[in-house]
Amino acid sequence: MRSFEAAVSRSAIIEEISDALKRKGVVEVEGCVDAAKPNLMSVLGRDKRFRIIVTSDELKARTLYSDYRVYDSAVVYYPPRDLMFYQSDLNGNQLVRERMNCIKSLMSGEKVTVITTVDALMERIAGVELIASNIIEINVNDEINENSFSEKLAKCGYERTAQVEAQGQFAVRGGIVDVFPLTEDNPVRIELWGDEISSLRSFDVGSQRSIEDMESIEIYPATEIILSEDERRSGIEKIKADFEKNYSVLRKDMKTEEAHRLKSLVNAFVDEVENLMQAANIVSFANYFFDEMYSFLDFFIPDDTCIFLDESIRLIEKGEAVFGEFSESMQARLTHGYILPGQSNILYSLEEIFSKISACHTAAFSTIAQKQDKYKAHAHLSLNVRSVNSYNGSFDTLLTDLKRFRKNKYKIILLSASTTRAKRLADNLRENDI
């Protein structure tokens, strides 16, 4: 694969795109078919610590993630939240786990490529720094209080159970604390001698047998919303004040059913947060607990970030559809007493998102460039990309095409997963004067 990257990097058009990417802003690259996009993205922006690939929907993002791993193993996926049903926990902790794995990679200090969707960038989130400040790091011989440690795990979204069976759970019994970190494949057993950690080891969740002794472990939160006592108290006060205001309006308009519904929903939420420190739909109330909210893009340094847009027009169409559908849905829910006004303000506009994108080094890849009004490109380049036959074992057809490509001055790069197979193929090509 390095031979491929080296050869492609030396091509004139790639050098031209690379030069254009040295300047902040958007470079439009036309004529790039889907099959070629992972190839090109893998060789561009390699001097940056972060590379972000933005697609229009989750299916395309997951497909691109699978394809891109061939070129770059340091790639992670940051999935979008279901904005229409954000008040319901439809995915369990699967979505939080994927997002937390992405954040863990970003904090590793290594180069990383993130694949995500435009609606994931539009979400207002509490912040990566909030997660970083609540990572629990423990080492052998550290001293911890069993009760305080349990409270801290619960505050970070971990569920206390009799026995850990899934990520995001912990169990306490007789000087032993089992934790299944959200970002790990196996749970960890913490053995205490009084308040001192005498041993740490991972174990198999089914057989309970030890796998590996450990010196330390970082436990990432199992939720994206972690509240301090002041934030919790202040947020509840804001929610109650907003509720009283809207409850009065609904009663004044003789909407007694809607007023009762709103009162029941808000009281249930406040009760959960006051007594359990968490609630299933706490993300939808995040605006009340934090003075500042962010886009996922805000946590990337523009000078050290290269962004790739996969079909800008599709991104814009998807973003506008999401924003319009969400706004319409929130207005209906507000009218019928299902939400408070602050819950409807959880999306950035496309203009705000593309402003952030334009502050980075960005390449917009498209098959056919189309007019749009969300950004201005400072360079427009064109590629001539062609798809090739799959051949299905027909060596004669391959030879015919390769001879034609060679005659037309194409550069031929031979790649194979098997060294022996590659050598045999190279010998055959030389015999046929290719």
Side-chain angles (χ1 to χ4, degrees):
M1 197 56 64
R2 289 181 180 176
S3 300
F4 169 80
E5 291 173 357
V8 172
S9 297
R10 289 194 297 269
S11 67
I13 185 62
I14 296 300
E15 290 181 353
E16 197 172 349
I17 297 172
S18 296
D19 287 341
L21 277 173
K22 292 177 181 178
R23 175 182 168 187
K24 287 183 183 178
V26 181
V27 179
E28 282 194 336
V29 183
E30 183 182 6
C32 188
V33 298
D34 284 349
K37 288 172 185 173
N39 306 343
L40 297 172
M41 293 172 181
S42 68
V43 300
L44 293 169
R46 298 188 70 84
D47 58 323
K48 305 300 182 188
R49 179 182 168 192
F50 302 113
R51 291 189 289 179
I52 308 172
I53 302 173
V54 187
T55 67
S56 56
D57 60 70
E58 190 170 3
L59 177 60
K60 199 166 186 180
R62 290 188 182 277
T63 301
L64 185 56
Y65 170 75
S66 179
D67 293 342
Y68 193 84
R69 291 186 68 184
V70 175
Y71 303 93
D72 183 1
S73 59
V75 58
V76 290
Y77 174 54
Y78 184 81
R81 192 178 298 280
D82 190 331
L83 297 171
M84 291 299 104
F85 299 97
Y86 68 102
Q87 289 181 300
S88 302
D89 186 16
L90 300 178
N91 299 312
N93 65 3
Q94 173 65 27
L95 181 137
V96 178
R97 182 163 65 247
E98 287 185 305
R99 287 161 72 116
M100 205 62 69
N101 275 323
C102 174
I103 291 168
K104 181 179 180 181
S105 295
L106 297 179
M107 293 180 180
S108 68
E110 302 295 326
K111 288 186 176 182
V112 64
T113 300
V114 179
I115 296 178
T116 189
T117 63
V118 64
D119 45 330
L121 302 182
M122 292 169 69
E123 295 175 45
R124 293 182 185 271
I125 59 176
V128 174
E129 278 115 356
L130 175 68
I131 293 168
S133 63
N134 282 280
I135 297 171
I136 303 172
E137 183 177 355
I138 54 175
N139 304 275
V140 174
N141 298 326
D142 281 354
E143 290 191 0
I144 61 171
N145 179 274
E146 191 176 284
N147 291 331
S148 299
F149 185 63
S150 298
E151 289 176 4
K152 193 167 186 179
L153 287 171
K155 179 183 175 183
C156 288
Y158 282 82
E159 176 190 5
R160 183 165 182 168
T161 59
Q163 180 176 314
V164 296
E165 297 177 343
Q167 290 158 315
Q169 297 179 344
F170 76 100
V172 181
R173 62 185 187 283
I176 294 176
V177 181
D178 290 342
V179 185
F180 204 149
L182 197 68
T183 57
E184 301 297 327
D185 295 327
N186 295 296
V188 176
R189 177 156 294 160
I190 306 167
E191 293 189 354
L192 301 173
W193 182 260
D195 284 344
E196 183 179 317
I197 298 174
S198 59
S199 72
L200 282 174
R201 63 177 183 271
S202 58
F203 66 94
D204 181 83
V205 71
S207 66
Q208 297 288 303
R209 291 183 177 178
S210 297
I211 296 175
E212 180 184 12
D213 289 332
M214 309 171 73
E215 290 297 320
S216 63
I217 182 70
E218 285 186 335
I219 303 173
Y220 276 71
T223 178
E224 295 178 68
I225 303 293
I226 305 139
L227 303 174
S228 67
E229 184 58 34
D230 288 342
E231 288 167 339
R232 186 168 66 98
R233 190 184 305 111
S234 173
I236 289 174
E237 289 176 0
K238 292 175 184 176
I239 290 170
K240 288 180 176 178
D242 208 10
F243 162 72
E244 292 295 341
K245 180 180 177 181
N246 284 272
Y247 182 75
S248 298
V249 170
L250 291 172
R251 291 296 300 269
K252 185 177 179 180
D253 292 342
M254 302 301 292
K255 295 182 177 181
T256 54
E257 182 181 345
E258 289 83 352
H260 176 72
R261 181 185 295 122
L262 184 63
K263 183 176 182 179
S264 299
L265 291 170
V266 170
N267 285 346
F269 173 80
V270 170
D271 185 61
E272 283 187 63
V273 176
E274 285 183 330
N275 295 295
L276 302 177
M277 296 291 289
Q278 286 289 336
N281 62 333
I282 194 168
V283 172
S284 68
F285 286 88
N287 279 334
Y288 291 98
F289 293 102
F290 300 102
D291 294 330
E292 265 190 287
M293 300 289 285
Y294 306 90
S295 163
F296 183 60
L297 283 174
D298 290 328
F299 302 98
F300 294 89
I301 304 167
D303 287 333
D304 211 9
T305 302
C306 187
I307 299 177
F308 303 108
L309 305 180
D310 178 20
E311 301 293 342
S312 301
I313 291 298
R314 300 287 175 268
L315 299 183
I316 293 169
E317 289 174 352
K318 177 61 181 290
E320 288 177 338
V322 166
F323 196 87
E325 190 177 345
F326 180 80
S327 299
E328 186 177 331
S329 174
M330 292 302 103
Q331 184 57 47
R333 294 182 190 188
L334 186 61
T335 302
H336 291 89
Y338 285 101
I339 63 169
L340 293 174
Q343 292 178 263
S344 63
N345 184 29
I346 63 169
L347 284 186
Y348 282 98
S349 68
L350 271 182
E351 287 74 16
E352 291 174 299
I353 293 304
F354 275 98
S355 175
K356 297 175 188 292
I357 287 173
S358 297
C360 300
H361 305 266
T362 303
F365 289 100
S366 59
T367 307
I368 301 174
Q370 299 181 50
K371 289 184 179 180
Q372 48 73 38
D373 59 358
K374 302 304 178 186
Y375 64 82
K376 290 184 178 180
H378 66 76
H380 301 266
L381 303 170
S382 294
L383 288 172
N384 183 12
V385 179
R386 297 183 182 181
S387 57
V388 296
N389 296 322
S390 58
Y391 300 109
N392 295 319
S394 175
F395 189 71
D396 290 339
T397 307
L398 171 62
L399 289 177
T400 300
D401 281 354
L402 290 178
K403 288 178 179 178
R404 176 167 52 84
F405 291 142
R406 175 57 60 86
K407 183 178 180 180
N408 293 330
K409 307 299 183 182
Y410 282 89
K411 179 181 291 185
I412 297 173
I413 306 169
L414 180 61
L415 297 175
S416 176
S418 166
T419 304
T420 303
R421 187 176 180 183
K423 186 177 184 302
R424 188 183 306 123
L425 181 56
D427 290 341
N428 282 327
L429 294 179
R430 278 193 292 270
E431 288 174 7
N432 286 275
D433 194 29
I434 296 178

